[in-house]
Amino acid sequence: MSQLKPPQDTQWAAFYCPWIEVHDPLTRGSLRMPATGHIAGVIARSDAERGVHKAPANEELRGVLGLEVQISDSTQEILNPRGVNAVRDFRAAGRGIRVWGARTMSSDPEWKYVNVRRFLTFLEASIDKGTQWVVFEPNGERLWESVQANITDFLLQLWRAGALSGSKPEQAFFVKADRTTMTQDDIDNGRLICIIGVAPVRPAEFVIFRIGQKTLM
């Protein structure tokens, strides 16, 4: 188990282990299978309850009887940096069987986390869909201001919902559409170019406590 690693380096997939045991309705016994379907259910549930920006981890897998193998803390310390997301059994502590990892299979630090990759995909698709109205509009200052205002409002809602980091909106994102983002050739050829920067929230994988004690003299 400690030698396990993802089959490839990609930001578009995540690797989970071990296999899970579920009820087999045909034999009325148990059946071992990959956790894929249950992980997809966890992601859908997390999206609905918290949002795409929330890492789909520390979530319980429902309907799972057990795991093919148990993963200890020491084993996870080896697997986690490799991009292997563990499914852990915390039933002894009354917390069920949970997804205990939220990393993609990418070695690129920018795309390390599942929720960051999914959130930015959601952001790109949402902005693309929300700006379709600009097609065939006069490509001038008034349009650029409207586009900036619309995207800013959308990102402001996400920041208020906790999807973006920063104590102030200007620390969380920026939106720019003006003559610094477009050349005259872009304008003449009907291209509206808007530059957007965001600071997505990353999951807290480790909670570190510093404890000090004073000795009595």
Side-chain angles (χ1 to χ4, degrees), residues 95-109:
R95 300 177 57 226
I97 294 175
R98 293 178 175 260
V99 185
W100 210 246
R103 296 199 176 197
T104 68
M105 290 160 49
S106 176
S107 60
D108 186 343

Side-chain angles (χ1 to χ4, degrees), residues 14-20 22 33-44 61 87 99:
F15 189 75
Y16 295 83
C17 76
W19 281 25
I20 59 176
V22 297
M33 61 185 295
T36 309
H38 285 71
I39 297 297
V42 163
I43 291 173
L61 294 181
V87 179
V99 185

Side-chain angles (χ1 to χ4, degrees), residues 159 165-173:
W159 173 72
S165 61
S167 58
K168 300 177 181 179
E170 54 267 29
Q171 296 173 339
F173 64 86

Side-chain angles (χ1 to χ4, degrees), residues 16 91 101 106 112 114:
Y16 295 83
R91 287 178 293 184
S106 176
K112 182 188 296 184
V114 171

Side-chain angles (χ1 to χ4, degrees), residues 7-25:
Q8 60 179 305
D9 190 324
T10 175
Q11 61 182 267
W12 299 103
F15 189 75
Y16 295 83
C17 76
W19 281 25
I20 59 176
E21 294 181 359
V22 297
H23 176 68
D24 186 349

Side-chain angles (χ1 to χ4, degrees), residues 140-158:
E141 281 81 357
R142 183 173 298 180
L143 178 64
W144 306 340
E145 290 175 1
S146 295
V147 169
Q148 287 186 98
N150 286 355
I151 296 176
T152 296
D153 286 345
F154 174 59
L155 294 177
L156 191 59
Q157 292 178 30
L158 293 175

